[in-house]
Amino acid sequence: LKKIAYMLTLAGMAFGLAACSNDDVEYEPAAPVEGAQVYFSTNNISSINATMETTSFEVVVMRGGNTEEAVNVPIKAVVSVPEVEGEEADSTDPASLFTIPTVAKFAAGKDTVKLTVDIDRENLEDGQTYTIALTLNDLSVVTPYGNSSMTVSVVVPQPLKLLGVGLYRDDLVASIFDLGGFPEYEVEIYENLKTPGFIYLKNPY
C-alpha cells in the first residue's frame, strides 16, 4: 500500500508540473495609471454615534499620483434615511441637517485633504440613522486602486430617561449552572421617551 501511494503521489506531481507549463500563460500588464489618482482613505470612519456633543466629523481624501500641481475634486453627497413601514415620512430634507463640502481642494505638493462635515445635531431625529454617501465626482482624477466612493452612517441614540434603580432577579444563569437559589441585584432602569412603556435594563449581566 505504501508503494502504491508513493507511485500515485509521483504521478500526481508529474501531471501537475505538465499542466503548469509556462507556454500556456500569456501575461498582459495593466495599463499605467496617470494623473492625480484621488481616493478616499481606508481609515475613514464608516459609522458615528451622534450624541448631543457631536457637532462634526472628518473625511480624509488622498491622492497617490501627481502631487506637484493643485487640483480641485468635486464631491457628490447624497443623504438618506430608511423608510419605516407604517410611519409617516418626515418632511425635513435629511441633506439640510448636514453641511458637506462640495470640493476637495489639494494644494500644490500636498497629497491629503481633510473635509469637515458639520452636523445640525439639535434637529436630528432621535433613534434615526442617516446614511451619507460620498462620491468623487470626476472620473479623470480617480484611481482603480482606491475607493472613489464611501458611506458614513450617522446613528442618533434613542432618547432614554433614567427611571431609577430596580432589583433584577436571575433565574436563567443560576438554574443552568445550579448556583443554588436565584440571586437579586440592582440594575438601572430606563424608559424610551420616543416609545413610552418601552423599558431598557442597563447591563443586567
Side-chain angles (χ1 to χ4, degrees):
L1 290 176
K2 289 183 179 179
K3 289 181 179 180
I4 293 174
Y6 179 73
M7 295 302 294
L8 289 175
T9 301
L10 289 179
M13 292 176 62
F15 177 80
L17 291 173
C20 296
S21 172
N22 289 334
D23 296 337
D24 298 330
V25 178
E26 294 183 4
Y27 174 72
E28 295 184 4
V33 180
E34 300 177 349
Q37 302 180 45
V38 182
Y39 60 95
F40 287 108
S41 171
T42 55
N43 292 326
N44 283 318
I45 60 173
S46 60
S47 179
I48 181 173
N49 190 39
T51 65
M52 289 304 299
E53 292 74 30
T54 305
T55 58
S56 65
F57 64 91
E58 284 189 340
V59 174
V60 178
V61 186
M62 306 183 72
R63 58 175 172 173
N66 180 15
T67 61
E68 295 178 359
E69 300 177 356
V71 62
N72 295 335
V73 183
I75 304 290
K76 178 183 178 181
V78 177
V79 183
S80 60
V81 294
E83 295 183 1
V84 180
E85 186 177 352
E87 288 191 7
E88 185 177 348
D90 191 346
S91 59
T92 303
D93 180 8
S96 67
L97 302 173
F98 302 90
T99 303
I100 305 172
T102 58
V103 180
K105 299 180 179 180
F106 288 91
K110 301 296 183 180
D111 62 359
T112 302
V113 172
K114 292 183 179 180
L115 306 176
T116 299
V117 178
D118 293 318
I119 301 174
D120 182 5
R121 179 58 184 88
E122 290 186 1
N123 290 312
L124 295 185
E125 182 183 351
D126 292 328
Q128 183 64 275
T129 297
Y130 299 83
T131 300
I132 302 176
L134 302 175
T135 304
L136 300 173
N137 207 23
D138 186 349
L139 296 179
S140 67
V141 299
V142 298
T143 171
Y145 303 110
N147 296 322
S148 60
S149 62
M150 62 168 288
T151 59
V152 180
S153 296
V154 179
V155 182
V156 185
Q158 295 282 359
L160 301 180
K161 176 184 178 182
L162 177 62
L163 299 181
V165 177
L167 285 177
Y168 185 85
R169 177 171 179 167
D170 172 66
D171 61 355
L172 176 62
V173 176
S175 60
I176 292 176
F177 293 97
D178 192 21
L179 300 180
F182 304 108
E184 291 183 346
Y185 45 89
E186 292 185 342
V187 295
E188 292 181 352
I189 302 175
Y190 293 81
E191 182 178 20
N192 190 327
L193 298 180
K194 186 178 179 181
T195 309
F198 203 98
I199 302 300
Y200 293 85
L201 302 182
K202 183 177 180 179
N203 299 329
Y205 287 100

